[in-house]
Amino acid sequence: MAGLHSSMDPMANRSLTEMDRAHLIHPVTSFRGHEAHGVRVLSSGRGMWLTDSDGREVLDAFAGLWCVNAGYGQESIVEAATEQMRTLPYATSYFHYGCEAAIRLADKLTDLAPSGLDHVYFTLGGSDAVDSAIRYITHYFNAIGQPDKKQFIALEWGYHGSSSTGAGMTALPAFHRGFDLPRPWQHYIASPYPYRHENGDDDEAVIASTVSALEAKVAELGADKVAAFFCEPIQGSGGVIVPPVGWLKAIRDACDRLGILMLVDEVITGFGRTGPMFACDAEGVKPDFMTLAKGLTSGYVPMGAMLMADHVYQAIADSAPAALPVGHGFTYSGHPVSAAVALEVIRLYENGLLENGRKTGIRFGERLQAIADHPLVGDVRWRGMLGAIELVSDKSTKASFGAELAIADRLNAISWENGVIVRNFPQGVIGFAPALCCSDDEMDLIFDRVEKSLDQLMDVAEVRAALGVGGK
Ligand code: PLP
């Protein structure tokens, strides 16, 4: 680490906080807000635990950014990367070149994925996987002589990354504000949000409402104009919105009836996060496109993937003159180090990690269910190791706390002080996505700390005032 900390380095006397404030742009963060807050430097990790630059040890209940599914410090992943770096640190996939790790990974992924998804394009993460799908879908409809099919539909509260066009499939205002999005060809239908649905206790009603909203939107735009519907099986960044079981299958059937392609974005839900390898597996859903990232490499190195159904691939292949390239490519598509890491991570998933996640997922659900009785908690929801609690100021009316109270930010800050990292969402939702290596004891510690944090939040005067329970 001499290069980072050398005493000859004039920069060494400046604190990381100063350097960060001066130069580093943080994702999805208020520039001035971050300058005032300052950076929280994470230094090392092992299993479920992270250590910051002050030596504070915290339990990471969010697996980094719902990506470190295998937990920190898995030696065999480090070894796979090291070995690949030594042997061949880079190989292009352009011009008919390739490398063993990327080829084996493509074979493995198409084997694991729902049938029909026989082709893989590798990306650097989820945003460019979504963006690649938009490009290939556009290309596909031009190729098959239906150039008018260019309208895309997604869900309110959906998140599909932040590329220049993919961020328009995302339906969160922060990703549109100031970025001239969405584009005129990007549309949304209501989310299957049981807690906020007028018939939320009735699974069939929630499912039927999305199906009819999709049918109505396609009718409004014209079936001959709509290219595809994009959705997450569980809406992650929108606040971990868990649709009823059977919802994804009903949407698949609706897309078939309507003659539109279906893209399932499994960037969060893939690789055991909800129990099975992919959320699609639980309902036997076979999408036309699937996007993956995060758990693919467990966050150890960047990589995403876009899986394409064979019927789409064949249509694109047949339509183009053999000599003409399909002009979509990234220098790091199929990077050998990322691919070697992904192969090792998948080996770990198949050799006990997914199983452990399913087992600890039972404790996760029990502890979430128990927290539902807390006076601040209006809703708890989860599937597998992906869950959330929604804080409300009135359980009977489901009224949210006012935005000025920043209730989830406050809980997040208290939880950090109590030694656990959770994720806060703007509408008062706290998300959880522990690594699949989590033990029952670690899960108990997470929830003991979260419960303590909720109790402390109850002691805050403004919170008590919003609850109408008076001062302490
Ligand atoms: N799609 C979904 C469902 C996501 O949750 C994310 C990231 O959280 C993305 C796409 C974008 O992935 P990335 O941040 O790797 O670009």
Side-chain angles (χ1 to χ4, degrees):
M1 301 294 264
L4 282 179
H5 294 300
S6 163
S7 58
M8 302 297 289
D9 181 355
M11 301 294 279
N13 292 331
R14 292 174 62 202
S15 74
L16 286 176
T17 307
E18 281 173 65
M19 285 189 270
D20 172 84
R21 189 175 281 129
H23 302 299
L24 189 62
I25 297 175
H26 289 253
V28 198
T29 302
S30 142
F31 286 11
R32 293 278 180 251
H34 179 72
E35 288 166 13
H37 186 280
V39 66
R40 191 175 269 163
V41 180
L42 301 170
S43 306
S44 62
R46 189 134 302 263
M48 291 293 296
W49 295 86
L50 281 170
T51 306
D52 76 0
S53 52
D54 297 328
R56 176 197 293 268
E57 292 198 327
V58 291
L59 266 166
D60 183 1
F62 204 63
L65 203 60
W66 22 40
C67 54
V68 189
N69 290 7
Y72 300 96
Q74 289 275 4
E75 262 321 302
S76 68
I77 304 177
V78 179
E79 277 162 23
T82 311
E83 175 64 22
Q84 183 62 52
M85 275 199 187
R86 249 189 221 114
T87 317
L88 182 68
Y90 177 77
T92 183
S93 301
Y94 279 59
F95 319 126
H96 311 295
Y97 289 109
C99 67
E100 181 174 348
I103 295 165
R104 288 201 184 283
L105 181 59
D107 185 59
K108 183 74 190 172
L109 280 179
T110 52
D111 191 36
L112 291 173
S115 65
L117 290 170
D118 293 339
H119 308 273
V120 188
Y121 176 76
F122 286 116
T123 63
L124 283 72
S127 297
D128 50 342
V130 169
D131 204 61
S132 297
I134 296 171
R135 294 203 79 211
Y136 281 124
I137 291 169
T138 305
H139 192 94
Y140 165 76
F141 282 113
N142 288 333
I144 63 170
Q146 297 185 29
D148 289 340
K149 273 175 97 70
K150 296 288 167 55
Q151 306 293 311
F152 287 67
I153 305 172
L155 288 175
E156 287 170 1
W157 295 108
Y159 186 69
H160 299 288
S162 71
S163 72
S164 58
T165 53
M169 301 307 292
T170 290
L172 303 177
F175 291 81
H176 298 170
R177 197 183 312 122
F179 288 104
D180 296 347
L181 288 170
R183 303 274 168 84
W185 47 269
Q186 295 175 314
H187 312 273
Y188 314 111
I189 58 170
S191 157
Y193 193 162
Y195 184 59
R196 300 278 172 201
H197 191 280
E198 55 183 1
N199 291 315
D201 292 336
D202 179 348
D203 288 357
E204 291 309 316
V206 175
I207 292 171
S209 65
T210 314
V211 170
S212 55
L214 183 59
E215 287 167 349
K217 184 56 83 178
V218 171
E220 175 197 324
L221 298 168
D224 53 341
K225 302 275 191 305
V226 179
F229 177 68
F230 285 23
C231 66
E232 300 155 87
I234 288 174
Q235 297 188 273
S237 302
V240 191
I241 298 166
V242 185
V245 171
W247 178 86
L248 200 62
K249 179 77 175 74
I251 297 300
R252 168 73 273 187
D253 295 345
C255 288
D256 281 344
R257 278 198 309 278
L258 294 163
I260 64 177
L261 297 176
M262 182 193 201
L263 179 144
V264 178
D265 187 342
E266 293 234 26
V267 165
I268 291 174
T269 53
F271 302 103
R273 177 52 61 203
T274 68
M277 187 62 87
F278 302 112
C280 278
D281 299 343
E283 301 188 16
V285 166
K286 299 171 186 164
D288 302 294
F289 282 83
M290 185 190 253
T291 42
L292 302 170
K294 296 192 187 275
L296 172 59
T297 53
S298 194
Y300 278 54
V301 287
M303 184 176 234
M306 184 216 73
L307 276 68
M308 181 193 281
D310 187 56
H311 71 95
V312 176
Y313 174 90
Q314 298 303 342
I316 293 177
D318 285 343
S319 69
L324 277 186
V326 178
H328 184 65
F330 307 150
T331 300
Y332 299 120
S333 180
H335 194 284
V337 177
S338 303
V341 164
L343 284 168
E344 175 56 20
V345 167
I346 293 171
R347 195 190 66 77
L348 292 175
Y349 291 147
E350 291 186 315
N351 284 274
L353 256 180
L354 246 58
E355 195 45 47
N356 191 71
R358 283 195 277 266
K359 194 178 124 302
T360 315
I362 296 170
R363 182 71 125 249
F364 180 53
E366 289 167 354
R367 294 298 306 248
L368 274 168
Q369 192 58 65
I371 228 170
D373 292 336
H374 194 279
L376 289 173
V377 176
D379 188 35
V380 296
R381 44 191 187 248
W382 75 92
R383 191 167 298 155
M385 290 279 259
L386 181 58
I389 59 181
E390 184 160 339
L391 306 179
V392 292
S393 63
D394 185 329
K395 284 194 184 223
S396 59
T397 64
K398 302 184 180 177
S400 302
F401 286 96
E404 71 293 344
L405 213 57
I407 193 81
D409 298 14
R410 284 177 192 253
L411 185 65
N412 190 31
I414 298 171
S415 301
W416 168 265
E417 292 304 323
N418 287 327
V420 62
I421 294 180
V422 295
R423 162 81 185 269
N424 47 315
F425 297 91
Q427 72 278 35
V429 172
I430 300 292
F432 302 86
L436 306 183
C437 65
C438 189
S439 68
D440 281 355
D441 286 349
E442 286 165 331
M443 191 61 83
D444 283 339
L445 201 50
I446 287 173
F447 278 92
D448 292 349
R449 291 177 176 187
V450 169
E451 283 172 6
K452 178 179 168 194
S453 306
L454 279 168
D455 290 343
Q456 289 172 336
L457 188 61
M458 279 283 289
D459 289 343
V460 175
E462 295 98 310
V463 176
R464 297 185 74 75
L467 288 170
V469 292
K472 259 200 122 185

